Amino acid sequence: MVLCYSMMSYVDYAMMYHLIRGQSVIKLYIIYNMLEVADRLFSSFGQDILDALYWTATEPKEKKRAHIGVIPHFLMAVLYVFLHALLIMVQATTLNVAFNSHNKSLLTIMMSNNFVEIKGSVFKKFEKNNLFQMSNSDIKERFTNYILLLIVCLRNMEQFSWNPDHLWVLFPDVVMVIASEVAVDVVKHAFITKFNDISADVYGEYRASLAFDLVSSRQKNAYTDYSDSVSRRMGFIPLPLALLLIRVVMSSVKIQGSLSFMCVLLFYFGMITLKVLNSIVLLGTSCVFVKEANMEEKLFDPPPSAASSRVNSRAHRTKHVHTAPQQEATADKGGPSLTSDNSQLPTIPETPAPTVPKSDSDTFLTTPDEEEDDKIINTDTGLEGDGLKNRTPKKDLLEIDRFTICGNRID
């Protein structure tokens, strides 16, 4: 954060503003759409970069290195955070130009872009897992828009010497942007659930899943921080946004004198207190949602051992189904049985199936394991026809790994 802030101090916001303002309306509209797509791609790629840095920094000392080292990963992470913060800065500057345009045509075009999102998503087939991904993406997008609007208001208030009358000039446009975003999301989700015959109660399950992630990360054997687990689920990376917000606040607010430093210190302690209170309220609310969803017993289940035992039992069951038809075929032909030829056949060492880490909060969104086992048995024995040969069962999206769901990305 310190290195990226020092790098961001060399970026001239005023020059960027006038450079973007000199472009045509259609060009700015295309640029804004490209920036939205680039923001999603950067979020997806940046999570991998930060994960690689965390894994490399916490690797045991005695383990043989199979990577480039901590310093190159750190430099890549610094470069990523700087570039992503620069991209969000251009996005906020484009929105600021739209707010300050005389006829508000650019702002209207940007708002109409939200309605294009309805066309691209309503008439597609969605399952519950895909809808969960879209809901997380909408949450992240709406929070990012709030931060962008806050940056626009700070920059405009600085230009007008913090005149409170100018705030009421910006207020209608801010409300219009937020109202259009909320209206588009409501209409989009309403028609998606209608066309795909999905009950509205599924959003309660989504809320319980996020609450379970937050509560489970508070345990002693948790792998990540409580904020990081939910952020991974939504594909949200707070570092670039926090860096840009600190850069804008430090350039907009002038700190002079000892009284100003005391006010900044009190504001810092107030924000820490607000964070602690917010975490307490979120934890209590999440516990209520987990109890309502009857997911308390899953908090104490060890996920790796359960997953490994289930994979081993499934492999044993499929192995038994494979050998049974061959024994019956040899018995009908009158040939020697497989049991008598076991000494002649080479023994193949049985390798255990790789276990995939899985979140317990995803179990209610996927099909039961017994149904998957029946599907495996049916496909292996060929009950549906001779043409079906060893088809693998279809995996649910949320069954793969909750850490791979990041910014609409499925590995």
Side-chain angles (χ1 to χ4, degrees):
M1 292 290 289
V2 173
L3 287 176
C4 292
Y5 179 77
S6 60
M7 294 167 65
M8 287 290 293
S9 61
Y10 293 100
V11 179
D12 192 356
Y13 186 87
M15 184 188 70
M16 184 184 299
Y17 177 83
H18 291 288
L19 183 64
I20 294 176
R21 191 175 183 180
Q23 308 298 323
S24 61
V25 175
I26 300 300
K27 188 182 293 186
L28 289 179
Y29 173 69
I30 297 174
I31 291 175
Y32 192 78
N33 289 337
M34 292 174 60
L35 290 175
E36 285 187 345
V37 177
D39 181 41
R40 295 187 179 185
L41 295 178
F42 266 69
S43 298
S44 176
F45 185 63
Q47 190 66 63
D48 296 334
I49 293 178
L50 295 178
D51 287 343
L53 175 63
Y54 298 154
W55 180 83
T56 308
T58 58
E59 188 184 13
K61 299 292 185 180
E62 63 275 4
K63 189 175 181 180
K64 183 180 179 181
R65 285 190 174 183
H67 48 80
I68 57 179
V70 180
I71 302 300
H73 278 102
F74 178 74
L75 295 178
M76 289 172 58
V78 170
L79 182 62
Y80 155 72
V81 174
F82 173 71
L83 292 178
H84 198 175
L86 193 64
L87 186 143
I88 300 175
M89 189 175 185
V90 176
Q91 197 172 359
T93 307
T94 308
L95 190 61
N96 196 5
V97 171
F99 267 76
N100 295 331
S101 60
H102 297 289
N103 52 3
K104 305 293 182 182
S105 60
L106 180 58
L107 186 61
T108 306
I109 293 175
M110 287 182 178
M111 289 172 55
S112 66
N113 189 32
N114 295 329
F115 294 92
V116 178
E117 187 179 353
I118 297 179
K119 176 185 175 183
S121 58
V122 164
F123 301 104
K124 293 181 180 179
K125 182 174 177 57
F126 277 87
E127 300 293 339
K128 292 172 62 176
N129 301 328
N130 305 112
L131 186 60
F132 188 31
Q133 283 184 301
M134 176 175 286
S135 302
N136 291 330
S137 178
D138 290 340
I139 293 171
K140 178 236 178 185
E141 181 181 358
R142 189 177 298 183
F143 181 77
T144 306
N145 289 335
Y146 290 159
I147 300 298
L148 293 179
L149 291 174
L150 177 61
I151 292 173
V152 169
C153 292
L154 287 175
R155 297 300 301 179
N156 279 278
M157 292 298 293
E158 180 200 1
Q159 297 299 322
F160 286 88
S161 302
W162 297 95
N163 187 8
D165 295 334
H166 185 69
L167 183 62
W168 296 108
V169 177
L170 294 173
F171 187 73
D173 295 334
V174 173
V175 172
M176 186 169 56
V177 171
I178 295 176
S180 66
E181 184 75 24
V182 173
V184 166
D185 287 342
V186 169
V187 173
K188 179 177 66 176
H189 283 268
F191 278 99
I192 286 176
T193 52
K194 178 181 182 297
F195 291 153
N196 295 277
D197 196 16
I198 299 176
S199 174
D201 298 333
V202 74
Y203 292 100
E205 299 178 3
Y206 299 160
R207 183 181 60 186
S209 176
L210 295 176
F212 184 87
D213 288 340
L214 195 146
V215 173
S216 60
S217 59
R218 287 287 190 172
Q219 293 180 332
K220 294 182 179 180
N221 57 350
Y223 295 102
T224 59
D225 185 62
Y226 68 96
S227 59
D228 184 64
S229 60
V230 182
S231 298
R232 283 173 176 272
R233 174 79 76 178
M234 298 183 180
F236 174 69
I237 302 178
L239 288 180
L241 271 178
L243 178 66
L244 180 61
L245 195 59
I246 293 173
R247 165 75 169 81
V248 172
V249 170
M250 293 296 291
S251 61
S252 301
V253 180
K254 304 300 181 183
I255 301 175
Q256 297 177 354
S258 60
L259 183 61
S260 299
F261 281 103
M262 288 297 297
C263 292
V264 170
L265 188 62
L266 290 176
F267 177 76
Y268 177 72
F269 284 116
M271 293 299 292
I272 291 179
T273 307
L274 181 62
K275 176 179 174 57
V276 173
L277 293 176
N278 187 27
S279 63
I280 294 174
V281 172
L282 281 177
L283 182 60
T285 309
S286 301
C287 291
V288 173
F289 292 150
V290 169
K291 289 181 180 179
E292 291 178 355
N294 299 323
M295 300 170 64
E296 294 177 277
E297 65 277 0
K298 298 178 182 178
L299 290 171
F300 307 101
D301 294 339
S305 62
S308 60
S309 62
R310 183 170 50 193
V311 170
N312 291 333
S313 63
R314 185 178 301 173
H316 176 71
R317 187 177 302 179
T318 54
K319 177 184 175 183
H320 176 71
V321 172
H322 274 299
T323 56
Q326 296 176 0
Q327 292 178 359
E328 293 177 2
T330 54
D332 293 339
K333 293 181 180 180
S337 61
L338 288 175
T339 55
S340 60
D341 294 340
N342 281 338
S343 59
Q344 301 177 1
L345 295 177
T347 59
I348 301 175
E350 184 176 356
T351 58
T355 60
V356 179
K358 177 172 174 289
S359 174
D360 289 334
S361 61
D362 300 332
T363 54
F364 66 94
L365 293 175
T366 58
T367 55
D369 295 329
E370 288 78 14
E371 296 180 2
E372 289 184 325
D373 293 337
D374 294 339
K375 291 181 181 179
I376 295 174
I377 294 172
N378 291 335
T379 54
D380 288 337
T381 54
L383 293 179
E384 297 179 1
D386 296 332
L388 301 178
K389 293 184 178 179
N390 297 330
R391 291 190 306 176
T392 57
K394 183 180 179 181
K395 290 286 185 182
D396 284 326
L397 293 177
L398 287 179
E399 192 182 0
I400 303 171
D401 184 7
R402 69 187 179 94
F403 293 126
T404 60
I405 302 175
C406 174
N408 288 338
R409 172 178 63 85
I410 300 294
D411 286 338

Coordinates of all heavy atoms in Angstrom, one line a residue, residues 322-385:
H322 N -17.7 -52.2 -11.4 CA -17.0 -52.5 -12.6 C -16.7 -54.0 -12.7 O -16.7 -54.6 -13.7 CB -15.6 -51.7 -12.6 CG -15.8 -50.4 -13.2 ND1 -16.2 -50.2 -14.5 CD2 -15.6 -49.1 -12.7 CE1 -16.2 -48.9 -14.8 NE2 -15.9 -48.2 -13.7
T323 N -16.3 -54.6 -11.6 CA -15.9 -56.0 -11.6 C -17.1 -57.0 -11.7 O -16.9 -58.1 -12.2 CB -15.1 -56.3 -10.3 OG1 -15.9 -56.0 -9.2 CG2 -13.8 -55.5 -10.3
A324 N -18.3 -56.6 -11.2 CA -19.4 -57.5 -11.2 C -19.8 -57.9 -12.6 O -20.0 -59.1 -12.8 CB -20.5 -56.9 -10.4
P325 N -20.0 -57.0 -13.5 CA -20.5 -57.5 -14.9 C -19.4 -58.4 -15.5 O -19.8 -59.3 -16.3 CB -20.7 -56.2 -15.7 CG -20.9 -55.2 -14.6 CD -20.0 -55.6 -13.5
Q326 N -18.1 -58.2 -15.3 CA -17.1 -59.0 -16.0 C -17.2 -60.4 -15.4 O -17.0 -61.4 -16.2 CB -15.8 -58.4 -15.7 CG -15.6 -57.0 -16.4 CD -14.3 -56.4 -16.1 OE1 -13.5 -57.0 -15.4 NE2 -14.0 -55.2 -16.6
Q327 N -17.4 -60.6 -14.1 CA -17.5 -61.9 -13.5 C -18.7 -62.7 -14.1 O -18.6 -63.9 -14.4 CB -17.6 -61.8 -12.0 CG -16.3 -61.3 -11.4 CD -16.4 -61.2 -9.9 OE1 -17.5 -61.4 -9.4 NE2 -15.3 -60.8 -9.2
E328 N -19.8 -62.0 -14.2 CA -21.0 -62.6 -14.8 C -20.8 -63.1 -16.2 O -21.2 -64.1 -16.7 CB -22.2 -61.7 -14.7 CG -22.6 -61.4 -13.2 CD -23.8 -60.4 -13.2 OE1 -24.2 -60.0 -14.2 OE2 -24.2 -60.1 -12.1
A329 N -20.1 -62.2 -17.0 CA -19.9 -62.6 -18.4 C -19.0 -63.8 -18.6 O -19.3 -64.7 -19.4 CB -19.3 -61.4 -19.2
T330 N -18.0 -63.9 -17.8 CA -17.1 -65.0 -17.9 C -17.8 -66.3 -17.4 O -17.5 -67.4 -17.9 CB -15.8 -64.8 -17.1 OG1 -16.2 -64.4 -15.7 CG2 -15.0 -63.7 -17.7
A331 N -18.7 -66.2 -16.4 CA -19.4 -67.3 -15.9 C -20.4 -67.9 -16.9 O -20.6 -69.1 -17.1 CB -20.1 -67.0 -14.6
D332 N -21.0 -67.0 -17.7 CA -22.0 -67.4 -18.7 C -21.3 -68.1 -19.9 O -21.8 -69.1 -20.5 CB -22.8 -66.2 -19.3 CG -23.7 -65.6 -18.2 OD1 -24.0 -66.4 -17.2 OD2 -24.1 -64.5 -18.3
K333 N -20.1 -67.7 -20.2 CA -19.4 -68.3 -21.3 C -18.7 -69.6 -21.0 O -18.1 -70.3 -21.8 CB -18.3 -67.3 -21.9 CG -18.9 -66.1 -22.5 CD -17.8 -65.2 -23.1 CE -18.4 -63.9 -23.7 NZ -17.4 -63.0 -24.2
G334 N -18.7 -69.9 -19.7 CA -18.0 -71.1 -19.3 C -16.5 -71.0 -19.1 O -15.8 -72.0 -19.0
G335 N -16.0 -69.8 -19.2 CA -14.6 -69.7 -19.1 C -14.1 -69.6 -17.7 O -14.9 -69.7 -16.7
P336 N -12.9 -69.5 -17.4 CA -12.3 -69.5 -16.1 C -12.8 -68.2 -15.4 O -12.9 -67.1 -16.1 CB -10.8 -69.5 -16.3 CG -10.6 -69.1 -17.7 CD -11.8 -69.5 -18.5
S337 N -12.9 -68.2 -14.2 CA -13.4 -67.0 -13.4 C -12.2 -66.1 -13.2 O -11.0 -66.5 -13.3 CB -14.0 -67.4 -12.1 OG -13.1 -68.1 -11.3
L338 N -12.5 -64.9 -12.8 CA -11.5 -63.9 -12.6 C -10.8 -64.2 -11.3 O -9.6 -63.8 -11.1 CB -12.1 -62.5 -12.5 CG -12.6 -61.9 -13.8 CD1 -13.2 -60.6 -13.6 CD2 -11.4 -61.7 -14.8
T339 N -11.5 -64.8 -10.4 CA -10.8 -65.1 -9.1 C -9.7 -66.1 -9.2 O -8.7 -66.1 -8.4 CB -11.9 -65.6 -8.1 OG1 -12.5 -66.8 -8.7 CG2 -12.9 -64.5 -7.8
S340 N -9.8 -67.0 -10.2 CA -8.8 -68.0 -10.3 C -7.5 -67.5 -11.0 O -6.5 -68.0 -10.9 CB -9.3 -69.2 -11.1 OG -9.7 -68.8 -12.4
D341 N -7.7 -66.4 -11.8 CA -6.6 -65.8 -12.5 C -6.0 -64.6 -11.8 O -5.2 -63.8 -12.4 CB -7.1 -65.4 -13.9 CG -7.5 -66.6 -14.8 OD1 -7.1 -67.7 -14.4 OD2 -8.3 -66.4 -15.7
N342 N -6.3 -64.4 -10.6 CA -5.8 -63.2 -9.9 C -4.3 -63.3 -9.7 O -3.6 -62.3 -9.7 CB -6.5 -63.1 -8.5 CG -7.8 -62.5 -8.6 OD1 -8.1 -61.8 -9.6 ND2 -8.7 -62.7 -7.6
S343 N -3.8 -64.5 -9.6 CA -2.3 -64.7 -9.5 C -1.6 -64.3 -10.7 O -0.4 -63.9 -10.7 CB -2.0 -66.1 -9.0 OG -2.5 -67.0 -10.0
Q344 N -2.2 -64.5 -11.9 CA -1.5 -64.3 -13.2 C -1.6 -62.8 -13.6 O -0.8 -62.3 -14.3 CB -2.2 -65.1 -14.3 CG -2.1 -66.6 -14.0 CD -2.7 -67.4 -15.0 OE1 -3.2 -66.9 -16.0 NE2 -2.8 -68.8 -14.9
L345 N -2.7 -62.1 -13.1 CA -2.8 -60.7 -13.5 C -1.9 -59.8 -12.7 O -1.7 -60.0 -11.5 CB -4.3 -60.2 -13.3 CG -5.3 -60.9 -14.2 CD1 -6.7 -60.5 -13.8 CD2 -5.1 -60.7 -15.6
P346 N -1.3 -58.8 -13.4 CA -0.4 -57.9 -12.6 C -1.3 -57.0 -11.7 O -2.3 -56.6 -12.1 CB 0.3 -57.1 -13.7 CG -0.7 -57.1 -14.9 CD -1.4 -58.5 -14.8
T347 N -0.7 -56.8 -10.5 CA -1.4 -55.9 -9.6 C -1.1 -54.5 -9.9 O 0.0 -54.1 -10.0 CB -1.0 -56.3 -8.1 OG1 0.4 -56.1 -8.1 CG2 -1.4 -57.7 -7.8
I348 N -2.2 -53.7 -9.9 CA -2.0 -52.3 -10.2 C -2.2 -51.5 -8.9 O -3.3 -51.7 -8.3 CB -3.0 -51.8 -11.3 CG1 -2.8 -52.6 -12.6 CG2 -2.9 -50.3 -11.5 CD1 -3.8 -52.2 -13.7
P349 N -1.3 -50.7 -8.5 CA -1.5 -50.0 -7.2 C -2.7 -49.0 -7.4 O -2.8 -48.3 -8.4 CB -0.2 -49.2 -7.0 CG 0.4 -49.2 -8.4 CD 0.0 -50.4 -9.1
E350 N -3.5 -49.0 -6.4 CA -4.7 -48.2 -6.4 C -4.3 -46.8 -5.8 O -3.9 -46.7 -4.7 CB -5.8 -48.8 -5.5 CG -7.1 -48.1 -5.6 CD -8.2 -48.8 -4.8 OE1 -7.9 -49.9 -4.3 OE2 -9.2 -48.3 -4.7
T351 N -4.5 -45.8 -6.7 CA -4.2 -44.4 -6.2 C -5.5 -43.8 -5.8 O -6.5 -43.8 -6.4 CB -3.6 -43.6 -7.4 OG1 -4.6 -43.6 -8.5 CG2 -2.3 -44.2 -7.9
P352 N -5.4 -43.2 -4.6 CA -6.7 -42.5 -4.1 C -7.0 -41.3 -5.0 O -6.1 -40.6 -5.5 CB -6.3 -42.1 -2.7 CG -4.8 -42.0 -2.7 CD -4.3 -43.0 -3.7
A353 N -8.3 -41.1 -5.1 CA -8.7 -39.9 -5.9 C -8.4 -38.6 -5.2 O -8.4 -38.6 -3.9 CB -10.3 -40.0 -6.1
P354 N -8.0 -37.6 -5.9 CA -7.6 -36.3 -5.3 C -8.9 -35.7 -4.6 O -9.9 -35.7 -5.2 CB -7.1 -35.5 -6.4 CG -7.8 -36.1 -7.6 CD -7.9 -37.5 -7.4
T355 N -8.6 -35.3 -3.4 CA -9.7 -34.6 -2.7 C -9.7 -33.1 -3.0 O -8.7 -32.5 -3.1 CB -9.5 -34.8 -1.2 OG1 -8.3 -34.2 -0.8 CG2 -9.5 -36.3 -0.8
V356 N -10.9 -32.6 -3.2 CA -11.1 -31.2 -3.5 C -11.7 -30.5 -2.3 O -12.7 -30.9 -1.8 CB -12.1 -31.1 -4.7 CG1 -12.3 -29.6 -5.1 CG2 -11.6 -31.8 -5.9
P357 N -11.1 -29.4 -1.9 CA -11.6 -28.7 -0.7 C -13.0 -28.1 -1.0 O -13.2 -27.6 -2.1 CB -10.6 -27.6 -0.4 CG -9.8 -27.5 -1.7 CD -9.8 -28.8 -2.4
K358 N -13.9 -28.2 -0.1 CA -15.2 -27.9 -0.4 C -15.8 -27.2 0.8 O -15.6 -27.5 1.9 CB -16.0 -29.1 -0.7 CG -17.5 -28.9 -1.0 CD -18.1 -30.2 -1.4 CE -19.6 -30.1 -1.6 NZ -20.3 -30.0 -0.3
S359 N -16.6 -26.1 0.5 CA -17.2 -25.4 1.6 C -18.5 -26.0 2.0 O -19.3 -26.5 1.2 CB -17.5 -23.9 1.2 OG -18.2 -23.2 2.1
D360 N -18.7 -26.1 3.4 CA -19.9 -26.7 3.8 C -21.1 -25.9 3.5 O -22.3 -26.4 3.6 CB -19.8 -26.9 5.4 CG -18.9 -28.0 5.7 OD1 -18.7 -28.9 4.8 OD2 -18.3 -28.0 6.8
S361 N -20.9 -24.6 3.3 CA -22.1 -23.7 3.0 C -22.7 -24.0 1.6 O -23.7 -23.5 1.3 CB -21.7 -22.3 3.1 OG -20.7 -22.0 2.1
D362 N -22.0 -24.8 0.8 CA -22.4 -25.0 -0.6 C -23.3 -26.3 -0.7 O -23.8 -26.6 -1.8 CB -21.3 -25.1 -1.6 CG -20.5 -23.9 -1.6 OD1 -21.0 -22.8 -1.3 OD2 -19.3 -23.9 -1.9
T363 N -23.4 -27.1 0.4 CA -24.0 -28.4 0.3 C -25.5 -28.2 0.0 O -26.1 -29.1 -0.6 CB -23.8 -29.2 1.6 OG1 -24.2 -28.4 2.7 CG2 -22.3 -29.5 1.7
F364 N -26.1 -27.2 0.5 CA -27.6 -27.1 0.3 C -27.9 -26.6 -1.1 O -29.0 -26.6 -1.5 CB -28.2 -26.1 1.4 CG -27.7 -24.7 1.3 CD1 -28.5 -23.8 0.5 CD2 -26.5 -24.3 1.9 CE1 -28.1 -22.5 0.4 CE2 -26.1 -23.0 1.8 CZ -26.9 -22.1 1.0
L365 N -26.9 -26.1 -1.8 CA -27.1 -25.6 -3.1 C -26.8 -26.7 -4.2 O -27.1 -26.4 -5.4 CB -26.2 -24.4 -3.4 CG -26.5 -23.1 -2.6 CD1 -25.5 -22.1 -3.0 CD2 -27.9 -22.6 -3.0
T366 N -26.3 -27.8 -3.8 CA -26.0 -28.9 -4.7 C -26.9 -30.1 -4.5 O -27.6 -30.2 -3.5 CB -24.5 -29.3 -4.6 OG1 -24.3 -29.7 -3.2 CG2 -23.6 -28.1 -4.9
T367 N -26.9 -31.0 -5.4 CA -27.7 -32.2 -5.3 C -27.0 -33.1 -4.3 O -25.8 -33.1 -4.1 CB -27.7 -32.9 -6.7 OG1 -26.4 -33.2 -7.1 CG2 -28.5 -32.1 -7.7
P368 N -27.8 -34.0 -3.6 CA -27.3 -34.9 -2.6 C -26.3 -35.9 -3.2 O -26.3 -36.2 -4.4 CB -28.5 -35.6 -2.1 CG -29.7 -34.7 -2.4 CD -29.3 -34.0 -3.7
D369 N -25.4 -36.4 -2.3 CA -24.4 -37.3 -2.8 C -25.0 -38.6 -3.2 O -24.4 -39.3 -4.1 CB -23.4 -37.5 -1.7 CG -22.6 -36.2 -1.4 OD1 -22.5 -35.4 -2.3 OD2 -22.2 -36.0 -0.3
E370 N -26.1 -39.1 -2.6 CA -26.7 -40.3 -3.0 C -27.1 -40.3 -4.5 O -27.0 -41.3 -5.2 CB -27.8 -40.7 -2.1 CG -27.4 -41.0 -0.7 CD -27.1 -39.8 0.2 OE1 -27.4 -38.7 -0.3 OE2 -26.4 -40.0 1.2
E371 N -27.7 -39.2 -4.9 CA -28.1 -39.1 -6.3 C -26.9 -39.2 -7.2 O -27.0 -39.8 -8.3 CB -28.9 -37.8 -6.5 CG -30.2 -37.8 -5.6 CD -30.9 -36.5 -5.9 OE1 -30.4 -35.7 -6.7 OE2 -32.0 -36.3 -5.3
E372 N -25.8 -38.6 -6.9 CA -24.7 -38.6 -7.7 C -24.1 -40.0 -7.8 O -23.6 -40.5 -8.8 CB -23.6 -37.6 -7.2 CG -24.0 -36.2 -7.4 CD -22.9 -35.3 -6.9 OE1 -22.2 -35.6 -5.9 OE2 -22.6 -34.3 -7.5
D373 N -24.1 -40.7 -6.6 CA -23.7 -42.1 -6.7 C -24.5 -43.0 -7.6 O -24.0 -43.9 -8.3 CB -23.7 -42.7 -5.2 CG -22.6 -41.9 -4.4 OD1 -21.7 -41.4 -4.9 OD2 -22.8 -41.9 -3.1
D374 N -25.8 -42.8 -7.5 CA -26.7 -43.5 -8.4 C -26.4 -43.3 -9.9 O -26.5 -44.1 -10.7 CB -28.2 -43.2 -8.1 CG -28.6 -43.7 -6.7 OD1 -27.9 -44.6 -6.2 OD2 -29.5 -43.2 -6.1
K375 N -26.1 -42.0 -10.2 CA -25.8 -41.6 -11.5 C -24.5 -42.3 -12.0 O -24.4 -42.8 -13.1 CB -25.7 -40.1 -11.7 CG -27.0 -39.4 -11.5 CD -26.8 -37.9 -11.7 CE -28.0 -37.1 -11.5 NZ -27.8 -35.7 -11.7
I376 N -23.6 -42.4 -11.1 CA -22.3 -43.0 -11.5 C -22.5 -44.5 -11.7 O -22.0 -45.1 -12.7 CB -21.3 -42.8 -10.3 CG1 -20.9 -41.3 -10.2 CG2 -20.0 -43.6 -10.6 CD1 -20.0 -41.0 -9.0
I377 N -23.3 -45.2 -10.9 CA -23.6 -46.6 -11.0 C -24.3 -46.9 -12.3 O -24.0 -47.8 -13.1 CB -24.4 -47.1 -9.8 CG1 -23.5 -47.0 -8.5 CG2 -24.8 -48.6 -10.0 CD1 -24.3 -47.3 -7.3
N378 N -25.3 -46.0 -12.6 CA -26.1 -46.3 -13.8 C -25.2 -46.1 -15.1 O -25.3 -46.9 -16.0 CB -27.3 -45.3 -13.9 CG -28.3 -45.6 -12.8 OD1 -28.4 -46.8 -12.4 ND2 -29.1 -44.6 -12.4
T379 N -24.4 -45.1 -15.1 CA -23.5 -44.9 -16.3 C -22.5 -45.9 -16.4 O -22.0 -46.3 -17.5 CB -22.9 -43.5 -16.2 OG1 -22.2 -43.4 -14.9 CG2 -23.9 -42.4 -16.3
D380 N -22.0 -46.4 -15.3 CA -20.9 -47.5 -15.4 C -21.4 -48.8 -15.8 O -20.8 -49.6 -16.5 CB -20.2 -47.6 -14.0 CG -19.3 -46.4 -13.7 OD1 -19.0 -45.7 -14.7 OD2 -19.1 -46.1 -12.5
T381 N -22.6 -49.2 -15.3 CA -23.2 -50.5 -15.7 C -23.9 -50.5 -17.0 O -24.2 -51.6 -17.6 CB -24.2 -50.9 -14.6 OG1 -25.2 -49.9 -14.4 CG2 -23.5 -51.2 -13.3
G382 N -24.1 -49.3 -17.6 CA -24.7 -49.2 -18.9 C -26.2 -49.6 -18.9 O -26.7 -50.2 -19.8
L383 N -26.9 -49.2 -17.9 CA -28.4 -49.5 -17.8 C -29.2 -48.7 -18.8 O -30.2 -49.1 -19.2 CB -28.9 -49.2 -16.4 CG -28.3 -50.1 -15.3 CD1 -28.9 -49.7 -13.9 CD2 -28.6 -51.6 -15.5
E384 N -28.7 -47.6 -19.3 CA -29.4 -46.8 -20.2 C -29.2 -47.1 -21.6 O -29.8 -46.6 -22.5 CB -29.1 -45.3 -20.0 CG -29.5 -44.8 -18.6 CD -29.2 -43.3 -18.4 OE1 -28.6 -42.7 -19.4 OE2 -29.4 -42.8 -17.3
G385 N -28.2 -48.0 -21.9 CA -27.9 -48.3 -23.3 C -26.5 -48.7 -23.5 O -25.6 -48.4 -22.7

